Amino acid sequence: MTDAPIVDIDPFSDEFRRDPEPAGERLQEAGPVVYLKSHGIYGMARYAEVHAVLRDHESFCSSGGAGLANFKKEKPWRPPSLLLEADPPEHTRVRRIVSRIMSPRVVEGLRPEFERRADELAARVAARGEIDGVAELAQAYPLLVFPDAVGVGEDGRENLIRYGSMVFNSFGPRNELFREAMKDAGPVQEWIAAHTRRDALAPDGLGDRLYQAADRGEITSDEAALLVRSLLSAGVDTTAHALAWALHTFATHPAEWARVRDDPSLVRPAFEEVMRLASPVLTMFRTTAREVTVAGTVIPADEKVLLFIAAANRDPREWPDPHRFDIDRRAAHHLSFGSGVHACVGAAIARLEAEALFTALARHVRTIELAGPPTPRPNNSLNALAELPLHLTAAR
Ligand code: OVM
């Protein structure tokens, strides 16, 4: 029994995915904490509570898993991530190492190469005119630059998209989407495992630097392999969806694209607003480490709590006119990169990718228009596009 309002929304249904906005509003209206009887879980969709839970890693732990499965009761589908699915103090030790390896200075060092690849790609798509924005830009660009930065070779990079889909579908129930993503998963998992090995990683890439930390005795080499797996899990598919939504947003807001194109200093703030409005990650879980009271509602220990990130990013209690794409608003405190000790460790790289790609597109592309309806790619926790037909006109 619970004193939280009971809501009959299923966040893993086709209906929710097709149109998450009205459901988000219903959840927010129902109260700061709700009980979702569809899965026997608690939920929060208001900005203030989602933000507070993300920052309270002691009450809302991650070692119970970031998905629906409670790792204290169910066996995880893969060995848990040392970052995503761990708590302080164990988390703190490895997070510090990964943060250092992806420090602002290191990320700045990636800039020249990221800009060069972005310019080549932007020139190529501008010349083509009719493109699929997902395959030819949003996936193509991260697949060019991120595995290079990690030190992964050219062959088989498409496995990173497949693996991302497996990982993010695994955060939901064992439904049809999960089974579909896991179909023929063996070769994908083997490819990933092979590319977390030291001998597969180019010298001095991010992956090799994790092994250098192992050489110094800061972590074990098994831990280095698992941390490389984190980079390969969360580093490509996520940015691909963010870039796809940025393309979609500019295609449907031509006046805003014109402003960004004419003043590329607006690329960064515009991308934050895309992240707020389009939230590539729809939902994430925490598990209560003890009985907790949130806004007067008691949540018992060891319960799964679903955080509606995308809904929080459009909560009218936090964001005036929340459904409007407004590149002049201060949007950087959106929750699409999380918050607190688990906040996205690769955020600076994602931001660099977006900045490099859209600055290059500003040089090469005058207009971006939808050439047909976008096709969704249903996923248990991502807001994902399968296809985005675009018509580009080249800059003169
Ligand atoms: C990881 C991992 C995987 C997926 C997502 C994520 C959002 C992390 O393996 O550490 O963060």
Side-chain angles (χ1 to χ4, degrees):
M1 273 298 104
T2 170
D3 48 4
I6 295 173
V7 178
D8 68 353
I9 287 170
D10 179 353
F12 304 106
S13 63
D14 290 338
E15 194 192 350
F16 175 82
R17 261 188 300 278
R18 243 192 318 272
D19 201 7
E21 271 154 49
E25 271 165 42
R26 259 183 68 207
L27 292 161
Q28 286 165 349
E29 287 301 315
V33 181
V34 300
Y35 187 78
L36 298 162
K37 64 169 191 254
S38 54
H39 296 278
I41 57 180
Y42 289 81
M44 299 180 203
R46 296 187 187 177
Y47 180 90
E49 281 74 25
V50 174
H51 185 245
V53 166
L54 287 170
R55 300 198 76 89
D56 183 1
H57 60 267
E58 298 201 342
S59 309
F60 297 93
C61 76
S62 289
S63 54
L68 176 63
N70 184 343
F71 289 2
K72 322 239 148 141
K73 300 175 184 168
E74 282 173 62
K75 187 171 141 44
W77 70 281
R78 60 173 195 167
S81 162
L82 300 177
L83 290 169
L84 181 73
E85 293 150 350
D87 297 322
E90 294 80 10
H91 171 265
T92 318
R93 185 177 61 88
V94 293
R95 166 76 189 214
R96 197 172 289 136
I97 291 160
V98 180
S99 298
R100 201 205 311 129
I101 280 162
M102 294 161 89
S103 72
R105 207 171 50 85
V106 175
V107 174
E108 263 322 292
L110 298 171
R111 179 182 290 275
E113 183 63 10
F114 277 37
E115 289 181 343
R116 192 180 67 76
R117 304 305 291 255
D119 195 77
E120 280 174 9
L121 187 59
R124 193 171 345 133
V125 294
R128 279 178 42 72
E130 305 293 323
I131 64 160
D132 171 14
V134 170
E136 294 176 65
L137 276 173
Q139 289 185 346
Y141 182 64
L143 280 175
L144 275 177
V145 297
F146 187 74
D148 272 1
V150 176
V152 170
E154 306 282 335
D155 285 348
R157 288 187 178 189
E158 66 286 351
N159 285 295
L160 294 165
I161 299 288
R162 291 223 33 215
Y163 194 60
S165 161
M166 288 161 60
V167 168
F168 282 89
N169 273 306
S170 77
F171 296 140
R174 299 295 172 252
N175 57 8
E176 198 44 44
L177 282 177
F178 174 82
R179 280 188 293 277
E180 184 63 32
M182 292 295 172
K183 214 186 263 168
D184 311 316
V188 180
Q189 281 177 294
E190 275 161 38
W191 187 92
I192 294 289
H195 288 80
T196 63
R197 289 167 45 114
R198 186 171 208 166
D199 56 12
L201 295 162
D204 276 330
L206 301 174
D208 187 54
R209 288 185 209 202
L210 287 165
Y211 278 99
Q212 292 173 19
D215 293 340
R216 292 190 297 269
E218 298 171 4
I219 48 174
T220 67
S221 56
D222 287 349
E223 288 174 330
L226 268 181
L227 293 172
V228 176
R229 193 196 68 177
S230 281
L231 302 188
L232 302 184
S233 299
V236 174
D237 211 18
T238 46
T239 33
H241 296 307
L243 298 175
W245 282 113
L247 287 166
H248 180 269
T249 308
F250 287 130
T252 50
H253 297 79
E256 281 70 20
W257 171 246
R259 279 184 65 197
V260 169
R261 182 196 64 205
D262 295 342
D263 177 6
S265 75
L266 295 174
V267 167
R268 276 185 93 100
F271 180 64
E272 295 308 321
E273 175 65 349
V274 167
M275 289 296 284
R276 181 193 72 81
L277 198 67
S279 302
V281 175
L282 282 173
T283 51
M284 273 280 158
F285 280 93
R286 291 291 185 267
T287 311
T288 48
R290 49 169 110 109
E291 185 185 284
V292 214
T293 305
V294 176
T297 302
V298 176
I299 309 177
D302 211 23
E303 295 287 339
K304 297 300 301 199
V305 178
L306 183 56
L307 304 176
F308 289 85
I309 306 282
N313 281 337
R314 288 174 177 238
D315 180 0
R317 292 157 194 79
E318 178 67 20
W319 311 95
D321 204 357
H323 305 299
R324 180 162 166 252
F325 179 58
D326 175 5
I327 60 180
D328 297 318
R329 83 164 86 222
R330 293 184 34 181
H333 61 293
H334 63 72
L335 300 176
S336 295
F337 288 123
S339 189
V341 300
H342 289 281
C344 179
V345 73
I349 297 184
R351 288 177 166 128
L352 174 62
E353 287 182 32
E355 188 185 356
L357 185 61
F358 284 93
T359 305
L361 288 170
R363 273 194 299 277
H364 291 283
V365 172
R366 194 161 59 88
T367 61
I368 306 174
E369 289 163 309
L370 289 184
T375 324
R377 177 148 68 98
N379 181 290
N380 277 326
S381 57
L382 292 176
N383 186 13
L385 291 173
E387 254 185 285
L388 179 63
L390 293 177
H391 174 69
L392 309 177
T393 59
R396 285 153 302 176

